[in-house]
Amino acid sequence: MPRKNLRRSAIVVLDQEKTLNGRVAVPLRARHLDFGEKWSYAPAPEAHDYIKLQPRYQLFIGGKFVAPRSGKYFASINPATEEKLAEIAEADARDIDLAVKSARRAYKNVWSKMPGRERGKFLYRIARLIQEKSRELAVLETMDGGKTIKESRDIDLPLVAAHFFYYAGWADKLEYAFPGRTARPLGVAGQIIPWNFPLLMAAWKLAPALACGNTCVLKPAETTSITAMHLAQIFQEAELPDGVVNIVTGAGETGKALVDHSDINKIAFTGSTSVGKLLTQAVAGTNKRLTLELGGKAANIIFEDAPIDQAVEGIISGIYFNQGHVCCAGSRLLVQEGVFRAVIRKLRDRIATLRVGNPLDKNTDIGAINSRMQLDKICELVDSGLQQGAELVQSSAKLPAKGYWYPPSFFTGVTASHRIAQEEIFGPVLSVMTFRTPEEAIERANNTPYGLSAGVWTDKGSKIFKIVSKLRAGVVWANTYNKFDPTSPFGGYKESGFGREGGRHGLLPYVALS
Ligand code: NAD
């Protein structure tokens, strides 16, 4: 195997037979980076022996945990160990019907009649209970989804509580949200969420819907249902009236049954663009309102005048943390030619220091890929990049023997027509391209079917305003990346969906105005 030494890292050019992570078929030009033991830390595992996992999680309908009509259950796996954590109930159309009926009853009899200030009190109570149990919920989120404890503890859970607090505040102030108009709830909302931020996506959906007086049927993703069921326990503890929130678990068929139910007023969906398109067809010709938060292929643009170290740190957190399982991940990097070599060198050095492994370890930067299916998808797209002639640089971080893992990687020599420049990889893989002028940067950044987010790195405030106004992306960060706050609206253009979540804008999809 040819090997040449670089200043601080070893670069290994893989031979034809060697496979990356055991799965890449033809690694033509891949380089592995290794910083050896230099950056190793002693293990710092988060305790999880106190976590009370139930062997079986039932459906949450009408304020009670009930068995699914079909009697069927499926396993929820810890992607870091491949161990079965629990069995999850599989809801079918009959369970969905019960859940929708229960939500309708609660809407008519209790929730829509309750004054906003009383609804707000329930939301405050839920927010406080989430804070109280946040450590336990963070550990569960990490065990069930593979994300690092650093992220679930320091980002997900604080934001989950903050969303409930924020929308609790709006519940009795809707007349100020829409001055001069009357806001009425829509009725029953069917809400479907993905696996990358399970509790946070639940909070994004439930908190504004409840604040506006709607009742909900929530369907979590099939690989990450456990924390949603613990949230259901919190609803019971908060004495939320029965049926105001119902949680049904299952995969695509369960979601489809929810979308197709005739007594739903509103569908809110976060997930892939392909499923979003199916939902658009399913609700066409009905009175159901629809909002879609879909995929993305964000460009992070680094200009020559940018603070390069800060930019590289932002790029790293924008694509590698949460294993790249972020819809707004900065998965394309556009670098102005004059700083290309410097950026690549820093990027290469930095990814070699990222620690991949046990997500419950507080030092881990990159946890487990959420499922085998997702890992296969990442490997297939990386393979396509190699086949199409791009050059792969990859950390040689030692990956655990069990579980689903992918090392932090980036491609250079990427052209706009490569699949890795167009399709969402949803893994820790970055595609780097160059540009010469600001106009070229804008054109390249907008050259994607998506329009969810983007990042701009420059020292010049005027340049930020000029570029941002021309980027077709719902969220643009300047000299920072992936920063969230419940007061800020979030959502996309083009194939990234429509409608906004968060902030005052996030109330609009859940009200009828007159
Ligand atoms: P997915 O579309 O496969 O699944 C999302 C949810 O939809 C899951 O709960 C799933 O069970 C359900 N579902 C699947 N088929 C369905 C159908 N036919 N009818 C109704 N429901 C169905 O997406 P995923 O793989 O779980 O999540 C990753 C995707 O989500 C990525 O594309 C990512 O960009 C996107 N995402 C977007 C945002 C955003 O805010 N824009 C946030 C997180 C994730």
Side-chain angles (χ1 to χ4, degrees), residues 191-197 201 204-205 219-223 250-259 269-276 278-279 292-296 325-328 370 373-374 377 424 426 450 452 490-492 496-497 501:
Q191 304 175 313
I192 300 172
I193 54 174
W195 42 261
N196 55 348
F197 291 90
M201 290 299 109
W204 278 27
K205 297 276 178 285
K219 194 202 85 64
E222 53 274 32
T223 55
E253 278 303 306
T254 309
K256 188 175 176 324
L258 180 56
V259 172
F269 174 78
T270 297
S272 59
T273 296
S274 52
V275 174
L278 292 177
L279 265 55
L292 298 174
E293 298 276 3
L294 308 176
H325 295 340
V326 186
C327 50
C328 49
N370 183 262
M373 215 174 81
Q374 187 57 31
K377 195 175 140 194
E424 195 179 32
F426 226 57
Y450 296 109
L452 191 58
F490 182 89
S496 292
E501 291 186 309

Side-chain angles (χ1 to χ4, degrees), residues 9-10 111 128 135 168 174 180 211 257 266 273 308 331 347 446:
S9 64
W111 201 245
R128 282 194 297 269
R135 188 54 70 97
L174 294 178
K266 150 96 193 157
T273 296
I308 301 294
S331 56
L347 202 57
N446 288 338

Side-chain angles (χ1 to χ4, degrees), residues 211-226:
C212 293
N214 304 278
T215 56
C216 303
V217 180
L218 176 81
K219 194 202 85 64
E222 53 274 32
T223 55
T224 53
S225 303
I226 291 180

Side-chain angles (χ1 to χ4, degrees), residues 229-258:
M229 302 324 294
H230 283 251
L231 189 61
Q233 291 167 9
I234 287 179
F235 295 148
Q236 275 187 332
E237 231 177 286
E239 295 177 6
L240 187 71
D242 292 349
V244 169
V245 176
N246 305 272
I247 304 182
V248 287
T249 43
E253 278 303 306
T254 309
K256 188 175 176 324
L258 180 56

Side-chain angles (χ1 to χ4, degrees), residues 121-335:
K121 284 181 197 167
F122 281 106
L123 292 182
Y124 280 123
R125 199 181 289 171
I126 290 165
R128 282 194 297 269
L129 283 167
I130 289 168
Q131 281 186 319
E132 261 174 40
K133 297 175 195 291
S134 75
R135 188 54 70 97
E136 182 186 344
L137 290 169
V139 174
L140 277 169
E141 199 78 304
T142 288
M143 288 171 72
D144 201 22
K147 65 167 55 196
T148 62
I149 188 70
K150 254 195 317 205
E151 178 161 293
S152 52
R153 181 195 61 191
D154 299 345
I155 298 175
D156 293 46
L157 263 299
L159 279 172
V160 173
H163 263 83
F164 279 100
F165 276 122
Y166 175 73
Y167 282 108
W170 274 119
D172 62 345
K173 301 178 194 68
L174 294 178
E175 62 200 272
Y176 301 103
F178 307 104
R181 308 186 71 180
T182 306
R184 288 187 322 279
L186 299 174
V188 177
Q191 304 175 313
I192 300 172
I193 54 174
W195 42 261
N196 55 348
F197 291 90
L199 269 178
L200 186 56
M201 290 299 109
W204 278 27
K205 297 276 178 285
L206 294 172
L210 298 177
C212 293
N214 304 278
T215 56
C216 303
V217 180
L218 176 81
K219 194 202 85 64
E222 53 274 32
T223 55
T224 53
S225 303
I226 291 180
T227 47
M229 302 324 294
H230 283 251
L231 189 61
Q233 291 167 9
I234 287 179
F235 295 148
Q236 275 187 332
E237 231 177 286
E239 295 177 6
L240 187 71
D242 292 349
V244 169
V245 176
N246 305 272
I247 304 182
V248 287
T249 43
E253 278 303 306
T254 309
K256 188 175 176 324
L258 180 56
V259 172
D260 290 342
H261 196 285
S262 58
D263 198 28
I264 294 269
N265 302 96
K266 150 96 193 157
I267 296 289
F269 174 78
T270 297
S272 59
T273 296
S274 52
V275 174
K277 285 180 182 173
L278 292 177
L279 265 55
T280 313
Q281 289 162 10
V283 305
T286 72
N287 283 331
K288 292 171 194 167
R289 299 246 302 245
L290 178 68
T291 40
L292 298 174
E293 298 276 3
L294 308 176
K297 191 74 191 172
N300 242 321
I301 307 171
I302 304 189
F303 286 96
E304 281 166 1
D305 56 18
I308 301 294
D309 285 331
Q310 187 187 328
V312 168
E313 221 32 57
I315 304 309
I316 293 283
S317 72
I319 180 68
Y320 296 122
F321 295 159
N322 200 18
Q323 301 70 249
H325 295 340
V326 186
C327 50
C328 49
S331 56
R332 289 180 301 154
L333 175 60
L334 305 182
V335 188

Side-chain angles (χ1 to χ4, degrees), residues 93-104:
R94 293 167 294 176
D95 304 299
I96 297 290
D97 188 48
L98 287 177
V100 174
K101 282 187 173 131
S102 142
R104 178 64 62 193

